[in-house]
């Protein structure tokens, strides 16, 4: 099974050296190979299993207290005036909503 | 060469819920401390599970019902993957193949029907600001308060042909959103965002089929451009006009066109290149395993439908047909739900005494002339206003005096019926000596009297005015006029 590791890495914004690319590609192919046994299972006539919930059972629109700013930022590696700080140029080829 | 313009619009609208789409954090983040409306779910901490907000989905359905969409009986959520700091999970929960609303339409004031392909539910992302610094590497500051706020995306088919229609469509969507309390839809605050897709194609060389633009014969379609960062309704029109001119010029000059995303620069009134889109987006959509399929019964849909009230374009037609209101007045009055309901209530109140068309026309005139001019922070009491309008219709008070009284009562907290009583009393007190006042006015204005007797009938207005001034407006101008005519015989 083939996988374009370079493309996948780019989508995840991970830079890989040519050596890493060469090392990871066969490893990932092996993983996909192992999973692909699922494709051999005959599922003709088997309905997909989906959990259902009724519309009325959904959460009502009632706000509750959030975490404090201090708690939110506790795990942030970098912060500045209440914001999470992220280094690097984040604009690139990947779409922003 | 002649070209057709082909436009499709994507409109994002933040819907007005109290809590976020998939967690219970409060939504009102505007001007709040950064990262103060955040919990493990909108921060994407490990193990956090999304729980859909019922009200948010109802508002999405309501927008669909208002735009003649079909509402799905099963709701599916999907993960749309992309990697960006404003999206802590690494994916946005959205809807891919099965949107909540599909196949709708909206009719513009000029009669053009805009086809809506879909309206789906998703979540907003965090707000990031980008900074450059000489002392350190470039960085971004992230505020997750906006992350997870309910967002709906309205996608039209590529059926729009002019910038004006695109603008009118965006205006109508904004109006519907506000009317039905789905959203405040303030573009400057980012509660509504419009992204047009634009291309120009040679006339007669393409066709539209099932919402797709297809080439005819050996024609090769020109690539499309997407414009982002549009911060107002007028900018929708301007940005499209700019793009059409730019694309046409490039084609005429033989420059190759590329598929790209451009950003609107509102200061310079131009679009600027952001990035090219050589490859199709690769979002690796997959079903969201953390949210079950949501079953929607027809009763659920009917319940949401009961929130659907008469929309502005329907009101305009009714006002014009039933009450002979001018199109201009009907449009102005129906533009906001508040004004429309004030107008309709005032019309009903006046209809108790006046014929219904006359009641509507008086209501419209007074609303547009007086109420809009006087209304500040305080709403004008409708009973007071109708009392004044009736006195005016009976010829007991002039419009100018009525407005003056209204203004005085609003700013000095006076009771309008007391004021009217006092006014009418002084009017009847004056009635006794009005003859004397008229005589006095005639004595003081021999030239006007001579002019009138010489055939200048317009002088009558001046004389009436003089008498009104002396009685401080507390007499009926028609009575004054009759007395004058009598005395001048």
């Amino acid at each position: 099974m083939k996988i374009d590791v370079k493309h996948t890495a780019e989508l995840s914004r991970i830079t890989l050296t040519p050596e890493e690319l060469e090392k990871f590609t066969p490893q990932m192919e092996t993983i996909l190979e192992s999973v692909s046994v699922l494709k051999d299972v005959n599922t003709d006539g088997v309905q997909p299993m989906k959990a259902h919930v009724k519309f009325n059972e959904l959460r009502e629109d009632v706000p509750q207290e959030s975490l404090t700013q201090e708690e939110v930022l506790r795990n942030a590696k970098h912060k500045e005036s209440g914001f999470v700080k992220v280094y690097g140029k984040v604009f690139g080829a990947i779409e922003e909503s | 060469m002649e070209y057709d313009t082909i436009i499709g619009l994507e409109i994002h609208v933040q819907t007005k819920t109290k809590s976020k789409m998939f967690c219970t954090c409060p939504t009102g983040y505007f001007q709040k401390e950064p990262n103060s409306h955040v919990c493990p779910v909108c921060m994407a901490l490990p193990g956090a599970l999304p729980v859909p907000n019922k009200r948010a989905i109802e508002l999405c359905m309501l927008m669909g019902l208002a735009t003649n969409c079909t509402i799905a009986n099963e709701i599916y959520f999907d993960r749309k993957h992309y990697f960006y700091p404003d999206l802590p999970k690494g994916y946005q929960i959205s809807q891919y193949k099965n949107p909540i609303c599909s196949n709708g339409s909206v009719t513009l004031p000029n009669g053009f029907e805009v086809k809506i392909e879909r309206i789906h539910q998703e979540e907003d992302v965090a707000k990031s600001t980008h900074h450059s610094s000489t002392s350190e590497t470039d960085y971004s500051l992230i505020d997750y308060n906006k992350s997870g706020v309910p967002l709906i995306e309205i996608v039209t088919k590529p059926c729009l042909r002019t910038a004006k229609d695109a603008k009118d469509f965006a205006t109508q969507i904004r109006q519907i959103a506000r009317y039905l309390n789905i959203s405040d839809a303030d573009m400057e605050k980012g509660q509504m965002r419009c992204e047009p897709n634009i291309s120009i194609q040679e006339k007669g060389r393409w066709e539209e089929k099932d919402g797709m633009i297809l080439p005819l014969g050996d024609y090769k379609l020109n690539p499309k451009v997407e414009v982002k960062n549009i911060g107002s309704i007028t900018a929708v029109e301007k940005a499209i006009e700019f793009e059409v001119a730019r694309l046409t010029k490039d084609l005429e000059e033989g420059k190759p066109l590329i598929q790209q995303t451009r950003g609107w620069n509102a200061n310079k009134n131009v679009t600027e290149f952001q990035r090219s889109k050589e490859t199709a987006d690769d979002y690796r959509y997959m079903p969201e395993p953390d949210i079950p399929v949501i079953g929607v019964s027809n009763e659920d849909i009917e319940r949401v439908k009961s929130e659907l009230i008469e929309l502005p374009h329907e009101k305009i037609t009714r006002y014009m047909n039933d009450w002979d209101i001018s199109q201009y007045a009907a449009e102005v009055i129906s533009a906001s739900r508040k004004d429309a309901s004030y107008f309709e209530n005032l019309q009903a109140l006046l209809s108790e005494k006046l014929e219904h068309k006359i009641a509507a026309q008086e209501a419209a005139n007074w609303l547009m002339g007086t109420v809009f001019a006087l209304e500040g922070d305080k709403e004008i009491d409708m009973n007071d206003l109708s009392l004044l309008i009736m006195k005016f219709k009976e010829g007991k008070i002039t419009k100018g005096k009525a407005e003056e009284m209204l203004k005085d009562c609003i700013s000095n907290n006076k009771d309008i019926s007391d004021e009217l009583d006092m006014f009418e009393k002084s009017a009847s007190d004056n009635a006794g000596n009005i003859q004397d006042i008229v005589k006095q006015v005639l004595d003081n204005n021999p030239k006007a009297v001579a002019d009138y007797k010489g055939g200048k009938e317009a002088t009558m207005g001046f004389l009436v005015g003089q008498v009104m001034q002396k009685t401080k407006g507390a007499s009926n101008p028609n009575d004054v006029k009759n007395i004058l005519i009598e005395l001048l015989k």
Side-chain angles (χ1 to χ4, degrees), chain B residues 136-289:
Chain B
E136 53 182 339
T137 37
D138 292 346
Y139 64 93
S140 302
L141 294 179
I142 324 280
D143 170 10
Y144 289 98
N145 285 349
K146 187 163 76 78
S147 168
V149 167
L151 196 65
I152 58 173
E153 181 174 344
I154 302 158
V155 184
T156 74
K157 298 207 184 233
C159 61
L160 290 152
R161 297 288 170 263
T162 67
K164 173 77 167 53
D165 281 357
K167 176 191 149 196
D168 286 350
F169 176 73
T171 308
Q172 201 147 329
I173 291 294
R174 183 176 66 178
Q175 201 173 41
I176 292 172
R178 288 179 178 172
Y179 244 71
L180 297 178
N181 226 351
I182 292 171
S183 171
D184 291 335
D186 186 336
M187 287 186 74
E188 278 178 20
K189 287 187 186 161
Q191 292 163 338
M192 173 167 154
R193 298 156 228 167
C194 292
E195 284 148 21
N197 276 287
I198 308 149
S199 77
I200 59 169
Q201 308 294 349
E202 280 180 31
K203 255 192 198 319
R205 305 285 309 268
W206 59 277
E207 62 173 347
E208 189 191 337
K209 217 172 178 181
D210 303 327
M212 302 267 284
I213 303 298
L214 301 171
L216 288 175
D218 60 356
Y219 179 66
K220 197 171 162 293
L221 289 176
N222 290 319
K224 64 180 178 185
V225 176
E226 184 174 353
V227 184
K228 289 182 177 268
N229 304 349
I230 294 179
S232 70
I233 294 268
T234 35
V236 174
E237 187 175 22
K238 281 194 205 161
I240 295 172
E241 279 171 352
F242 179 88
E243 265 315 292
V244 171
R246 189 187 66 82
L247 289 167
T248 311
K249 187 165 170 280
D250 277 5
L251 265 188
E252 301 279 287
E253 290 172 0
K255 287 187 192 157
L257 302 183
I258 53 161
Q259 187 168 342
Q260 56 182 301
T261 301
R262 299 178 70 88
W264 175 246
N265 182 326
N267 294 324
K268 297 185 190 159
N269 276 325
V270 295
T271 65
E272 290 163 344
F273 175 82
Q274 284 186 339
R275 59 198 162 80
S276 67
K277 290 179 109 180
E278 282 153 22
T279 47
D281 294 319
D282 189 352
Y283 292 125
R284 294 157 295 154
Y285 279 101
M286 60 171 264
E288 168 57 86

Side-chain angles (χ1 to χ4, degrees), chain B residues 402-421:
Chain B
E403 283 181 356
E404 193 186 301
M405 198 182 279
L406 201 55
K407 206 170 176 177
D408 181 43
C409 287
I410 292 169
S411 38
N412 301 314
N413 264 328
K414 288 184 186 162
D415 184 80
I416 209 129
S417 46
D418 288 351
E419 291 297 302
L420 266 174
D421 284 349

Side-chain angles (χ1 to χ4, degrees), chain B residues 34-52:
Chain B
N35 296 307
S36 59
H37 288 26
V38 179
C39 75
V41 176
C42 38
M43 257 316 234
L45 297 188
L49 280 175
V51 184

Side-chain angles (χ1 to χ4, degrees), chain A residues 7 11 13 50-53 55 59-61 63-64 66-67 69 72 82 84-88 90 95 97, chain B residues 18-20 23-24 34-35 38 51 53-54 74 76 82-83 136 138-140 142 275 282-283 293 295:
Chain A
H7 178 62
L11 290 174
R13 305 208 165 205
K50 290 177 285 190
H52 273 78
V53 61
F55 187 68
R59 174 173 62 85
E60 296 295 337
D61 182 29
Q64 276 166 30
S66 303
L67 299 176
Q69 192 190 62
V72 171
V84 176
K85 193 173 187 180
V86 182
Y87 285 98
V90 284
E95 178 106 357
S97 175
Chain B
K18 296 186 183 79
S19 65
K20 289 187 181 180
C23 66
T24 57
N35 296 307
V38 179
V51 184
N53 180 339
K54 182 163 134 193
E74 282 190 328
Y76 299 84
Y82 65 92
F83 207 73
E136 53 182 339
D138 292 346
Y139 64 93
S140 302
I142 324 280
R275 59 198 162 80
D282 189 352
Y283 292 125
V293 180

